[in-house]
Amino acid sequence: MGKNKNNQTIWKTRIPKKGSNLFQKIGSSIEIDKNLYKQDIVGSVAHAEMLFRQKIISFKTKNKIIYGLNKIKNEIKKKKFTFNYKHEDIHMNIEKRLFEIIGDDAGYVHTARSRNDQVITDFKIWMRVATNDINKKLDVLIKTILKIAQKNVQTIMPGFTHLKNAQAVSFAHYMMAYVEMFNRDKFRFNNNLENLYENPLGVAALTGTSFNIDRNFTTKKLGFKKPTNNSIDTVADRDFVLDFLFSASVCSLHISRIAEELIIWNSEGFGLINLSDKIVTGSSIMPQKKNPDLLEYLRGKSGNSFGNLFSMLTILKGLPLSYFKDLQDDKELVFKTNETLNNCISILNEVLNNFSPNKKKMLELAEKGYITATDLADYLVKNHNMSFRRAYQVTASIVNFAEKKKKKLNQLDLNELKKIEPMLTSDVLKVFDLKYSVNSKKSFGGTSFANIKKMITKYKKN
Ligand code: ARG
């Protein structure tokens, strides 16, 4: 390539006219993909080493390239590097600077590769780390929830369906439901790693290369497990981007559900939890207010993640093979989603460390709505040889009777109960006790105290 003048594009010989300034600005991705500088340099070092081992470049050239790349890495780290949108992206910004530092030997680094394989190599390396970081954050969150659960095994509250009191549960069991969700999120992110361990480097623009490269060498060097199978698929594939955005969307959806739950419980109508002053905000006009803004932030942010997932799906829909500029937007979507999700997990963790259940209110609410009716029906099946449907009807009649008398089920005396079902004995009265009710759900996965304690121990060992 002759003398490389630094303000000239790499394709200057073929396209001598200066490109439109507007297009250069719009088409440049440097502000986004400069985030990938470390991965880009690691990738280029591995590539240069491989080229030397395969006798494609000389020892001296390889050393010069690696020296230059390390110098660039330090410059960027120390913020002494000037990113130039005229060089479009991180790959060309680094290559340009390499020419300035080591001269024409820099022209050898792009042998047997293209930006098409380079960019996804960088991106996959970045995503492996981001995925593991999210999982570490989820571990912290799960630990926080376990701590809350451990303190609240015997805290009784109503479980809801349709937001109507359904059956009594332990507050710990409720919280442990979220442990299951966040644990599935971890599992989902972990599954994505399989794909992220496939090395794209060496497929070049779309066909592979006529140079005798060793893709297994760069695979090992860059922490991948195997080279990708098909060069065309490799440069066109953004499934790994969808996987990340989908996993993040589901996780943020879970966060939005717990956030909404806590918002409802914190409302005056429910009053089931108190939020500490650390996590509420005031009103500009209403002096009495303590608003759950942070929880609302968490609920709202799931919308951004879904939007980013849908953007990527839409970009890919109907896109022919292989590389197109359309794909360049993948990084902005992922970086934004990643940042938001990391913030949301940290904020949720902070919220959970700064709220307390209002145990008295939980119990009071659980005493409303004839919440032990199902326990009574179960009792009739077990002790009076009724079918469940028959027991259901008898219980419904008892609930109707209690409602008419304006009494709770545990305020009915035996004689009143016997008016509806003469077979009943005083033994039945125990089923109206909430603790008895919660603790009787001993089936695997149910809300009995012993079950919950076992689950907490299991997760603490993980
Ligand atoms: N900045 C580009 C991207 O992120 C890198 C790949 C460019 N390849 C190309 N043929 N224009 O997608």
Side-chain angles (χ1 to χ4, degrees):
M1 132 161 358
K3 269 246 161 309
N4 185 287
K5 300 218 177 70
N6 269 303
N7 272 330
Q8 295 180 350
T9 55
I10 275 166
W11 43 78
K12 173 84 181 157
T13 311
R14 173 69 176 144
I15 312 174
K17 270 206 179 143
K18 205 178 155 287
S20 125
N21 207 27
L22 178 65
F23 181 70
Q24 272 193 334
K25 268 197 182 130
I26 299 293
S28 155
S29 60
I30 188 63
E31 276 315 305
I32 306 292
D33 57 30
K34 65 183 182 192
N35 251 322
L36 293 175
Y37 82 89
K38 271 190 214 144
Q39 293 77 3
D40 199 68
I41 288 173
V42 165
S44 291
V45 169
H47 183 66
E49 278 173 354
M50 182 278 292
L51 291 177
F52 161 65
R53 279 173 59 101
Q54 298 300 104
K55 304 191 171 46
I56 299 167
I57 62 173
S58 73
F59 182 67
K60 205 171 134 225
T61 303
K62 183 252 317 182
N63 283 347
K64 274 174 103 175
I65 289 172
I66 293 176
Y67 160 81
L69 289 170
N70 283 329
K71 194 166 154 66
I72 294 171
K73 187 167 71 185
N74 278 330
E75 287 175 358
I76 300 178
K77 230 191 241 161
K78 291 184 181 144
K79 302 201 182 327
K80 285 187 179 143
F81 188 98
T82 320
F83 292 103
N84 188 344
Y85 73 89
K86 289 194 172 136
H87 305 324
E88 220 179 283
D89 55 25
I90 187 63
H91 325 295
M92 297 216 286
N93 267 269
I94 289 177
E95 192 178 320
K96 279 279 174 190
R97 180 74 187 123
L98 195 59
F99 272 101
E100 286 177 352
I101 298 171
I102 67 168
D104 279 351
D105 275 322
Y108 287 94
V109 71
H110 212 57
T111 317
R113 79 169 183 194
S114 152
R115 282 185 300 159
N116 294 355
D117 56 343
Q118 200 180 350
V119 69
I120 34 182
T121 303
D122 298 358
F123 202 16
K124 278 187 164 184
I125 296 174
W126 177 93
M127 206 178 274
R128 277 182 344 218
V129 176
T131 298
N132 288 326
D133 285 350
I134 289 172
N135 277 346
K136 273 187 218 141
K137 274 221 159 106
L138 285 172
D139 277 334
V140 174
L141 183 63
I142 288 172
K143 266 202 190 114
T144 302
I145 303 178
L146 288 176
K147 232 173 26 196
I148 299 167
Q150 201 155 23
K151 282 194 219 148
N152 286 288
V153 174
Q154 310 247 357
T155 305
I156 288 169
M157 67 176 291
F160 309 97
T161 61
H162 311 269
L163 206 54
K164 301 278 286 179
N165 283 13
Q167 297 189 64
V169 294
S170 153
F171 177 54
H173 197 53
Y174 214 116
M175 295 310 288
M176 291 294 286
Y178 282 100
V179 168
E180 293 295 325
M181 294 182 225
F182 293 126
N183 201 50
R184 280 198 299 275
D185 290 333
K186 273 180 58 187
F187 188 72
R188 208 170 282 112
F189 274 113
N190 266 327
N191 278 344
N192 298 344
L193 288 173
E194 209 47 48
N195 231 313
L196 294 175
Y197 279 127
E198 289 193 5
N199 179 19
L201 195 60
V203 301
L206 81 161
T207 57
T209 173
S210 59
F211 289 98
N212 175 31
I213 61 171
D214 180 357
R215 293 187 67 202
N216 289 322
F217 176 83
T218 52
T219 293
K220 253 208 178 135
K221 260 265 136 132
L222 297 172
F224 289 104
K225 286 190 181 157
K226 67 186 275 286
T228 52
N229 287 330
N230 180 296
S231 58
I232 301 175
D233 170 58
T234 301
V235 291
D237 169 38
R238 292 296 181 277
D239 290 2
F240 67 98
V241 174
L242 293 177
D243 288 340
F244 183 89
L245 293 173
F246 176 70
S247 306
S249 288
V250 178
C251 184
S252 60
L253 177 148
H254 291 151
I255 293 174
S256 83
R257 289 183 83 168
I258 194 169
E260 170 67 353
E261 198 105 86
L262 296 176
I263 291 168
I264 293 174
W265 293 353
N266 180 241
S267 69
E268 278 78 10
F270 277 74
L272 297 187
I273 58 166
N274 305 310
L275 302 180
S276 94
D277 283 359
K278 223 175 146 181
I279 53 163
V280 293
T281 53
S283 151
S284 64
I285 175 172
M286 297 168 281
Q288 85 285 10
K289 290 280 257 162
K290 286 187 175 182
N291 292 328
D293 275 44
L294 275 182
L295 287 166
E296 292 162 21
Y297 172 93
L298 294 178
R299 184 178 54 191
K301 280 298 170 198
S302 52
N304 292 44
S305 304
F306 302 172
N308 290 343
L309 170 63
F310 268 81
S311 296
M312 197 63 220
L313 285 166
T314 313
I315 287 168
L316 289 167
K317 181 186 175 299
L319 195 70
L321 310 184
S322 60
Y323 178 84
F324 289 90
K325 185 81 165 176
D326 312 42
L327 296 172
Q328 180 169 280
D329 270 350
D330 57 358
K331 287 167 288 301
E332 186 171 8
L333 298 172
V334 165
F335 291 161
K336 279 193 175 153
T337 288
N338 181 59
E339 191 188 343
T340 307
L341 182 62
N342 271 284
N343 284 338
C344 286
I345 299 174
S346 300
I347 292 172
L348 179 58
N349 193 52
E350 180 116 8
V351 168
L352 293 178
N353 277 314
N354 284 283
F355 90 103
S356 53
N358 189 340
K359 297 184 186 179
K360 200 169 144 256
K361 270 283 187 64
M362 284 182 169
L363 195 60
E364 276 169 21
L365 185 59
E367 276 161 359
K368 290 182 186 162
Y370 313 102
I371 204 167
T372 49
T374 314
D375 299 279
L376 174 57
D378 289 353
Y379 176 88
L380 292 172
V381 171
K382 283 189 238 169
N383 295 278
H384 295 288
N385 202 22
M386 284 185 201
S387 75
F388 182 76
R389 266 304 152 247
R390 172 81 195 117
Y392 176 103
Q393 281 155 3
V394 172
T395 306
S397 304
I398 292 175
V399 170
N400 286 343
F401 176 80
E403 193 176 51
K404 217 162 88 196
K405 294 274 172 198
K406 296 196 172 14
K407 284 184 172 183
K408 294 176 179 163
L409 288 178
N410 65 0
Q411 291 168 334
L412 296 174
D413 62 33
L414 185 60
N415 286 334
E416 288 173 307
L417 291 167
K418 282 180 104 154
K419 268 189 215 154
I420 294 160
E421 179 44 68
M423 287 195 286
L424 287 171
T425 65
S426 65
D427 183 54
V428 69
L429 299 173
K430 69 182 181 207
V431 304
F432 302 127
D433 178 64
L434 291 173
K435 217 171 182 170
Y436 173 89
S437 163
V438 171
N439 219 8
S440 68
K441 309 298 169 13
K442 295 192 196 312
S443 57
F444 186 82
T447 187
S448 76
F449 301 146
N451 270 357
I452 300 169
K453 282 182 198 156
K454 254 192 238 157
M455 265 313 157
I456 295 175
T457 311
K458 174 182 161 301
Y459 273 107
K460 280 183 109 176
K461 276 191 204 142
N462 275 354

